[in-house]
């Protein structure tokens, strides 16, 4: 639009100059010269160059031009002024005579030029408005994209304490870590919070929303829509379980396991997979709590003091399940009061059942945990395969990146007893990678639970095995080295004794470190 305005203005200016030259040419056809800015009109046509006539001749020619055209110009100028109220710039008024202005007005369609100018101005205004709207839209899109792909991944979280969620799970730590309050204070705070949520959900189930008072930014609408699109086919999970190798278990624990799986299918339909996973991870931590509690009790009573290594492995397993739980909370898995109520009470009952099983037979308790972990592997495998495209379009949550790609992966290696330490380093680029690694974690738990059922099995952490292996290897290497020195050295045993006796004063004269260095140099 600005180019259109410039073109119109240039055409008007050039038209004025041409009309001035034409007027001069009519009065002096043989050698008419008129100054037009920096252009010189010769023979009625504008050319480049400086005027080479004196001022007097120019004034004489100007008088002749005005004298010959006064009558015509006056009539034409009056007609032009009546046709249009045309105005010129001050510079144009000073440089162009009135008769030329009249000529321009008589031969130019001023109304058409004015209409063109107005149209150009309107087009310019429309273009500027469209540009401003597009710029604001792009800025808003970039802001939303930055909030979704923030190191905060699914949107930024409040910057207080140890925030973990981009949605706002109810039990996410949003305050500085420290010592909890007393029993009465913790019980009363939890009762008030849960009572408020229960009343809200009972009165208006459809309007019940999660408590996000601990966070400042909620999940974006696009991510919420993708989460709502996730599905989990329960029948396909049963099919996977039927097609894989079955976990051998007596009916005394097989029956409760099947009842638990049926209950999960009834409680969580195919549209609520994240809530189902949160329930599973809440319950999945209880075996390791119960096992470490019983190992501690056995050690306190003096019955079994070789469980320290196993306790460390179980703690690493519980730490892994704990971060699975945080990931589900970051997706809003604990948003509804009824899910929290069922999950916490089921976890408490499961904890008591496992302790009872351990008192009867630790292998029985480990067998039940193996069944649960195997079911978790099938569940996550079905979820990943069924929602592959959607999960790959969702960025990972912050807690997932911190756990799988953090600087300290010692505990991540500790629970993987079936592989070497540092042999598994996940790469987290999307939620597809997150759930795929959760599936693999559950497979590692299955292997550990199976090994714990073997009588006299030695369960060692991979890091401890590596340390012991390195120590043994160093001792073997040292033994081989000293043996080769004794066999191939130029000095025999007697010569070696004489050499050592001759240097018996090393420690007294040079210090112990110098003596050691001298001995190494001797070898």
């Amino acid at each position: 639009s600005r180019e259109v305005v410039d073109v119109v203005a240039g055409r008007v200016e050039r038209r004025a100059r041409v009309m001035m030259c034409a007027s001069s040419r009519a009065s002096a056809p043989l050698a008419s010269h008129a100054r037009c800015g920096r252009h010189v009109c010769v023979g009625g046509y504008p050319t480049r160059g400086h005027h080479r006539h004196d001022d007097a001749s120019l004034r004489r020619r100007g008088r002749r031009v005005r004298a010959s055209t006064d009558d015509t110009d006056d009539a034409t100028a009056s007609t032009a002024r009546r046709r249009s109220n045309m105005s010129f710039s001050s510079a144009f008024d000073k440089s162009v005579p009135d008769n030329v202005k009249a000529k321009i007005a008589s031969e130019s369609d001023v109304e058409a030029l004015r209409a063109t100018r107005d149209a150009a101005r309107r087009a310019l205004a429309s273009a500027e408005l469209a540009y401003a709207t597009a710029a604001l839209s792009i800025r808003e899109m970039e802001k939303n994209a930055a909030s979704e792909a923030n190191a905060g991944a699914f949107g930024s979280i409040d910057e207080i304490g140890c925030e973990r969620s981009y949605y706002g799970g109810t039990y996410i730590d949003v305050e500085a870590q420290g010592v909890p309050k007393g029993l009465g204070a913790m019980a009363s705070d939890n009762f008030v919070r849960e009572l408020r949520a229960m009343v809200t959900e009972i009165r208006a189930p459809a309007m019940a929303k999660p408590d996000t008072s601990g966070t400042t930014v909620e999940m974006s609408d696009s991510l919420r829509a993708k989460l709502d699109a996730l599905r989990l086919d329960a029948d396909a999970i049963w099919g996977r379980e039927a097609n894989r190798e079955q976990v051998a278990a007596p009916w005394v624990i097989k029956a409760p396991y099947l009842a638990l799986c049926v209950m999960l299918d009834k409680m969580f339909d195919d549209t609520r997979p994240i809530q189902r996973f949160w329930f599973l991870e809440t319950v999945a931590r209880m075996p390791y709590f119960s096992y470490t509690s019983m190992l501690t009790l056995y050690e306190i009573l003096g019955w079994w003091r070789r469980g320290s290594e196993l306790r460390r492995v179980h703690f690493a397993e519980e730490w892994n399940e704990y971060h699975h739980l945080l990931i589900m909370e970051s997706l809003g898995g604990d948003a509804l009061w009824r899910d929290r109520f069922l999950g916490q009470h089921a976890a408490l009952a499961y904890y008591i059942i496992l302790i009872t099983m351990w008192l009867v037979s630790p292998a029985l308790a480990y067998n039940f945990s193996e069944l649960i972990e195997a079911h978790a592997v099938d569940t996550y495998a079905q979820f990943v395969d069924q929602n592959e495209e959607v999960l790959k379009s969702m960025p990972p949550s912050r807690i997932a990146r911190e756990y799988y790609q953090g600087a300290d992966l010692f505990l991540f290696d500790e629970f993987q007893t079936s592989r070497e330490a540092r042999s598994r380093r996940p790469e987290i680029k999307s939620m597809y990678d997150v759930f795929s690694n959760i599936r693999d974690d559950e497979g590692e738990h299955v292997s550990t639970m199976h090994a714990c059922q073997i009588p006299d099995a030695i369960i060692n952490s991979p890091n401890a095995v590596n340390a012991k292996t390195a120590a043994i290897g160093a001792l073997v290497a040292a033994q081989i080295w000293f043996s080769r020195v004794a066999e191939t050295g130029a000095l025999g045993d007697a010569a070696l004794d004489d050499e050592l006796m001759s240097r018996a004063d090393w420690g007294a004269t040079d210090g112990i470190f110098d003596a050691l260095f001298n001995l190494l140099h001797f070898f």
Side-chain angles (χ1 to χ4, degrees):
S1 299
R2 291 191 179 96
E3 292 178 357
V4 172
V5 173
D6 294 339
V7 169
V8 172
R11 287 179 178 175
V12 172
E13 183 178 358
R14 287 194 297 273
R15 184 73 174 176
R17 291 173 179 170
V18 171
M19 293 305 299
M20 290 177 62
C21 296
S23 177
S24 300
R25 184 180 55 187
S27 301
L30 294 179
S32 60
H33 301 271
R35 184 182 295 274
C36 303
R38 295 187 60 187
H39 298 273
V40 176
C41 299
V42 180
Y45 297 96
T47 63
R48 293 282 184 180
H50 295 286
H51 208 287
R52 292 186 295 272
H53 295 275
D54 56 6
D55 295 336
S57 63
L58 291 176
R59 286 194 295 271
R60 287 194 299 271
R61 294 182 186 280
R63 285 195 295 271
R64 286 198 301 270
V65 170
R66 287 192 294 271
S68 62
T69 58
D70 279 342
D71 298 335
T72 304
D73 290 344
D74 290 341
T76 305
S78 60
T79 303
R81 289 190 181 94
R82 285 195 303 270
R83 289 179 56 192
S84 171
N85 185 20
M86 184 177 181
S87 61
F88 300 93
S89 64
S90 58
F92 192 81
D93 286 337
K94 294 178 180 178
S95 60
V96 180
D98 292 339
N99 57 344
V100 178
K101 296 177 185 178
K103 191 70 173 177
I104 295 173
S106 62
E107 297 185 5
S108 300
D109 191 350
V110 180
E111 294 296 337
L113 291 175
R114 180 180 288 112
T116 303
R117 180 201 62 188
D118 295 341
R121 288 178 177 175
R122 288 193 297 270
L124 176 61
S126 300
E128 290 178 343
L129 179 60
Y131 171 79
T133 304
L136 291 175
S137 300
I138 293 175
R139 188 178 303 174
E140 188 68 21
M141 292 172 60
E142 292 176 349
K143 182 179 179 181
N144 293 336
S147 63
E148 293 178 3
N150 189 11
F154 270 17
S156 60
I157 316 302
D158 58 331
E159 299 177 354
I160 306 175
C162 56
E163 68 279 0
R164 303 294 183 189
S165 171
Y166 46 80
Y167 181 80
T170 301
Y171 293 101
I172 291 297
D173 297 328
V174 293
E175 297 178 353
Q177 296 183 6
V179 179
K181 302 177 183 178
L183 175 65
M186 295 295 293
S188 60
D189 292 347
N190 183 76
F191 179 78
V192 172
R193 181 178 64 248
E194 294 300 318
L195 179 63
R196 185 183 301 111
M198 180 186 68
V199 172
T200 302
E201 191 166 330
I202 292 176
R203 288 181 175 177
M207 299 299 293
K209 294 182 179 181
D211 181 11
T212 58
S213 58
T215 58
T216 57
V217 180
E218 294 185 2
M219 183 185 296
S220 64
D221 293 338
S222 60
L223 291 174
R224 167 53 58 187
K226 292 179 180 179
L227 270 179
D228 293 340
L230 298 176
R231 295 293 182 267
L232 180 61
D233 189 352
D235 295 334
I237 298 175
W238 287 105
R240 285 176 178 269
E241 185 170 349
N243 294 329
R244 64 167 168 80
E245 183 180 356
Q246 298 299 309
V247 176
W251 278 103
V252 68
I253 62 174
K254 190 77 170 182
Y257 161 73
L258 295 175
L260 177 63
C261 294
V262 172
M263 182 188 70
L264 288 174
D265 294 341
K266 297 298 182 182
M267 290 171 48
F268 305 99
D269 57 22
D270 60 344
T271 63
R272 303 181 66 221
I274 302 302
Q275 290 76 10
R276 176 172 180 153
F277 293 149
W278 181 86
F279 183 92
L280 277 176
E281 298 300 340
T282 301
V283 174
R285 301 174 65 196
M286 296 305 108
Y288 312 114
F289 285 145
S290 63
Y291 301 156
T292 54
S293 298
M294 296 309 298
L295 288 171
T296 303
L297 177 62
Y298 277 26
E299 187 168 345
I300 291 174
L301 297 176
W303 297 351
W304 182 265
R305 294 186 177 179
R306 292 185 294 172
S308 298
E309 195 77 18
L310 186 56
R311 272 207 318 274
R312 188 164 77 171
V313 173
H314 286 334
F315 175 77
E317 289 180 303
E318 188 278 323
W319 188 253
N320 177 258
E321 299 287 8
Y322 170 65
H323 282 81
H324 293 177
L325 182 67
L326 291 180
I327 292 171
M328 300 312 155
E329 288 182 355
S330 71
L331 296 169
D334 64 337
L336 297 180
W337 169 81
R338 63 177 179 271
D339 295 334
R340 298 194 299 271
F341 181 84
L342 293 173
Q344 291 166 353
H345 287 78
L348 180 60
Y350 190 35
Y351 177 77
I352 297 173
I353 291 172
L354 287 172
I355 286 182
T356 305
M357 285 186 178
W358 178 282
L359 291 173
V360 175
S361 171
L364 197 65
Y366 284 124
N367 190 204
F368 190 75
S369 296
E370 184 183 3
L371 287 171
I372 298 296
E373 298 294 354
H375 178 76
V377 173
D378 297 330
T379 303
Y380 282 114
Q382 175 61 31
F383 179 76
V384 168
D385 294 343
Q386 188 173 342
N387 302 276
E388 180 177 357
E389 296 299 327
V390 179
L391 292 175
K392 286 183 177 180
S393 67
M394 300 170 66
S397 59
R398 180 187 304 176
I399 183 58
R401 293 201 315 273
E402 288 180 357
Y403 179 68
Y404 287 110
Q405 295 182 323
D408 184 6
L409 296 178
F410 179 83
L411 288 176
F412 179 73
D413 293 329
E414 279 290 277
F415 77 92
Q416 303 181 65
T417 57
S418 63
R419 63 172 68 233
E420 295 182 0
R422 295 181 294 278
S423 62
R424 180 183 169 208
R425 287 295 179 263
E427 185 175 0
I428 305 299
K429 295 182 178 180
S430 64
M431 289 305 296
Y432 178 82
D433 300 325
V434 173
F435 279 98
S436 297
N437 279 281
I438 293 176
R439 175 201 59 202
D440 298 340
D441 293 345
E442 302 297 346
E444 294 293 336
H445 294 316
V446 172
S447 300
T448 304
M449 294 298 99
H450 179 74
C452 288
Q453 301 172 51
I454 301 175
D456 299 328
I458 300 176
I459 308 298
N460 289 320
S461 69
N463 292 308
V465 171
N466 283 357
K468 294 175 182 178
T469 303
I472 295 174
L475 291 175
V476 172
Q479 180 66 28
I480 294 174
W481 185 77
F482 279 110
S483 299
R484 289 183 178 179
V485 169
E487 293 174 359
T488 62
L491 297 175
D493 293 340
L496 179 61
D497 292 340
D498 294 341
E499 182 69 18
L500 293 176
M501 292 300 294
S502 66
R503 298 174 181 267
D505 59 340
W506 280 345
T509 58
D510 300 329
I512 185 63
F513 290 107
D514 292 332
L516 291 175
F517 290 142
N518 289 331
L519 183 62
L520 291 175
H521 177 69
F522 163 75
F523 280 115

